[in-house]
Amino acid sequence: TAEYVDAIEYLFIDIDRKIKDGLATNNDLKDIDNFANIILDKLSIHGWNKNYCKICSGNGIHLLIKLDIPIKMPELIFKDNKYIKTQEFENLNNLIRKGVGRDIIKLSESLEYKNLNIKIDSSVFEVARVTAIPVTKNFKPEGTRWRGVIELKQDGINDGLSEHLLSRFYDTESYNNNKIFTYTK
């Protein structure tokens, strides 16, 4: 759970299929990979696609985009057998969901990409979420698929990405002027 997270170090995006009958087909995985590349292209506008990992989760793709500066989570006070959560903690806990998560979902549902068999898993937009371990199997009732690293890019620092995410809560004008994900309704 988020109470045990020390810092946010990655933007985690999980791209799945809309229609989940059986195992993902090669065409399904191609649509998902194409959309992952669209996200990375949009991040490239600000130079935020220099350091990431693209992982096949078995039936979709996980994108892990490294933040330039880890965002430290505030210390919580443990009282009466529970953690006392501050507003700052809640803001940071929702940072990815509200910072870029809902924009990525709107992009995936936009007219441009509506015909692709893709769906963004919104449950991963939380700081305590982790990705599946590559080179393991994804067991589903329909069958088994291997997970693996598709691409690992380490060509520099995604300079300014952490600041952009934080500006969603602390400087709305800056956030609105540097939108990453634009879409048509």
Side-chain angles (χ1 to χ4, degrees):
T1 64
E3 293 86 4
Y4 302 107
V5 173
D6 183 53
I8 305 167
E9 297 189 31
Y10 293 88
L11 170 61
F12 178 38
I13 303 167
D14 184 2
I15 310 167
D16 290 322
R17 301 171 293 148
K18 254 189 263 186
I19 303 165
K20 295 188 177 191
D21 294 336
L23 292 175
T25 66
N26 286 342
N27 285 336
D28 292 336
L29 292 174
K30 190 175 180 180
D31 277 354
I32 293 166
D33 188 48
N34 286 338
F35 193 73
N37 289 332
I38 288 164
I39 291 171
L40 292 168
D41 285 345
K42 292 198 178 280
L43 290 168
S44 75
I45 293 166
H46 299 287
W48 297 333
N49 70 338
K50 295 176 184 173
N51 194 326
Y52 66 85
C53 184
K54 188 190 301 183
I55 300 169
C56 179
S57 63
N59 283 307
I61 288 181
H62 293 171
L63 283 177
L64 292 164
I65 295 114
K66 188 160 178 57
L67 300 181
D68 55 328
I69 300 169
I71 299 171
K72 182 92 170 120
M73 293 295 287
E75 294 280 330
L76 295 177
I77 298 168
F78 191 74
K79 184 177 178 183
D80 299 327
N81 291 324
K82 64 181 177 183
Y83 285 102
I84 309 300
K85 298 176 185 174
T86 64
Q87 187 60 52
E88 180 185 15
F89 177 87
E90 291 299 338
N91 284 349
L92 292 176
N93 191 35
N94 288 305
L95 182 70
I96 295 169
R97 177 185 289 97
K98 292 181 178 179
V100 295
R102 71 176 127 195
D103 292 333
I104 294 170
I105 291 168
K106 287 178 184 176
L107 177 69
S108 72
E109 295 171 346
S110 70
L111 289 176
E112 284 178 272
Y113 309 111
K114 200 156 185 78
N115 294 333
L116 296 177
N117 184 21
I118 56 165
K119 179 172 179 49
I120 303 298
D121 184 349
S122 62
S123 70
V124 303
F125 295 133
E126 56 188 42
V127 298
R129 187 58 85 156
V130 296
T131 187
I133 299 171
V135 196
T136 61
K137 289 184 179 180
N138 181 347
F139 292 97
K140 299 283 185 184
E142 303 85 19
T144 303
R145 277 275 170 81
W146 281 96
R147 297 180 180 112
V149 174
I150 298 170
E151 183 179 5
L152 179 62
K153 185 174 178 184
Q154 296 176 314
D155 289 341
I157 297 170
N158 296 325
D159 193 35
L161 182 55
S162 297
E163 182 181 349
H164 175 75
L165 291 174
L166 287 169
S167 73
R168 170 64 177 91
F169 291 103
Y170 303 114
D171 183 9
T172 305
E173 185 176 332
S174 172
Y175 179 81
N176 288 331
N177 290 336
N178 294 303
K179 283 257 186 216
I180 304 169
F181 302 100
T182 56
Y183 44 87
T184 54
K185 294 183 180 184

